[in-house]
Amino acid sequence: MKILITGGNGQLGQELQHLLTERGITDFDAADVEKLDITDEASVESYFATNKPEIVYHCAAYTAVDKAEGEGKAVNEAVNAKGAEIIAKACAKYDATLVYPSTDYIFEGNLTEGEYMPDAPTGPKNEYGRTKLLGEQAVKKYCPKHYIVRTAWVYGKYGHNFVYTMLNLAKTHDKLTVVNDQVGRPTWTRTLAEFITYLIDNQIAYGVYQCCDDGKCSWYEFAKEILKDKNVEVLPVSSDEYPTAAFRPHYSVMHLAKETGFEFPMWQDALHEFMSEL
């Protein structure tokens, strides 16, 4: 099967390449923006006509959540909304299966307990969530053979993320403050990469799925676990002390797609395995 990974130089794109290579799969093309501009319809058409991918992991995304509220608003719209529409149409035209990673930010963010089910009401309160929801809608509208996979709090080996930030801060600080009133589910990119390939490999029914590591925690609890072997004090604070340009929900725990048969690791186990590889 010919595989296209858009956003090949991103955090998930690189993890996916590593996983496929590990499995002996080499017939994939990891395309960065220089090879494939997903916001340019002519460029995408030319690529698909020439290469005819059968599976498309659409990992390309604009993920600067706070910048999307201001200076990055136009790019956010072009990449996450229009880009997803262009890719979805191309996949439909060339009969490719599309895997579209999305986000917990597409929800209203009003829950205080329980889990967001895949069919829960949407109502994003930041620009990133709004455009990712538009991307979801385009995928559903234009590409029958699709998997939409929502995730949250992503970290991994490749790229900038919360785990690296905490580890780096611990090198120069003996005390750190981390918000304790935002609760969610961390996601190791390895878990996400394994899940989206699992959907394809096991011919799971097309539709919307949600993938994070199991369990839940606050950012403070996440930081405590990351730094438990470091000589640094971690203190809980309110998110009011760290105002951000983009709205972030206080509770965004999503229901996991365990009905697929995929085994989601506990977030602590995933974190420990990741850190053991650093």
Side-chain angles (χ1 to χ4, degrees), residues 210-225:
Q210 295 175 162
C211 170
C212 298
D213 293 318
D214 207 348
K216 62 183 178 181
C217 62
S218 67
W219 287 111
Y220 162 72
E221 291 168 322
F222 193 19
K224 286 276 285 185
E225 192 68 22

Side-chain angles (χ1 to χ4, degrees), residues 11-65:
Q11 184 167 233
L12 176 58
Q14 291 187 72
E15 186 74 65
L16 188 53
Q17 290 179 66
H18 178 75
L19 177 63
L20 293 175
T21 302
E22 204 176 79
R23 294 176 177 175
I25 299 170
T26 57
D27 192 12
F28 65 82
D29 185 12
D32 60 18
V33 68
E34 307 232 339
K35 181 182 278 191
L36 177 61
D37 181 356
I38 65 164
T39 67
D40 183 334
E41 199 163 354
S43 172
V44 172
E45 168 60 30
S46 174
Y47 180 93
F48 272 71
T50 302
N51 297 281
K52 296 182 173 59
E54 297 164 88
I55 299 168
V56 177
Y57 294 104
H58 185 42
C59 301
Y62 184 84
T63 57
V65 177

Side-chain angles (χ1 to χ4, degrees), residues 163-234:
V163 177
Y164 283 152
T165 297
M166 290 298 103
L167 291 173
N168 287 330
L169 286 173
K171 295 175 183 177
T172 56
H173 295 71
D174 56 13
K175 184 182 295 185
L176 295 173
T177 55
V178 183
V179 296
N180 196 34
D181 56 1
Q182 294 176 19
V183 175
R185 283 185 157 138
T187 311
W188 183 19
T189 48
R190 177 76 182 205
T191 303
L192 183 54
E194 287 183 344
F195 180 72
I196 61 180
T197 55
Y198 176 92
L199 294 174
I200 297 286
D201 294 344
N202 292 274
Q203 299 181 321
I204 303 300
Y206 298 125
V208 180
Y209 298 92
Q210 295 175 162
C211 170
C212 298
D213 293 318
D214 207 348
K216 62 183 178 181
C217 62
S218 67
W219 287 111
Y220 162 72
E221 291 168 322
F222 193 19
K224 286 276 285 185
E225 192 68 22
I226 294 165
L227 301 174
K228 68 178 184 179
D229 296 326
K230 305 295 181 183
N231 188 25
V232 58
E233 184 180 10
V234 184

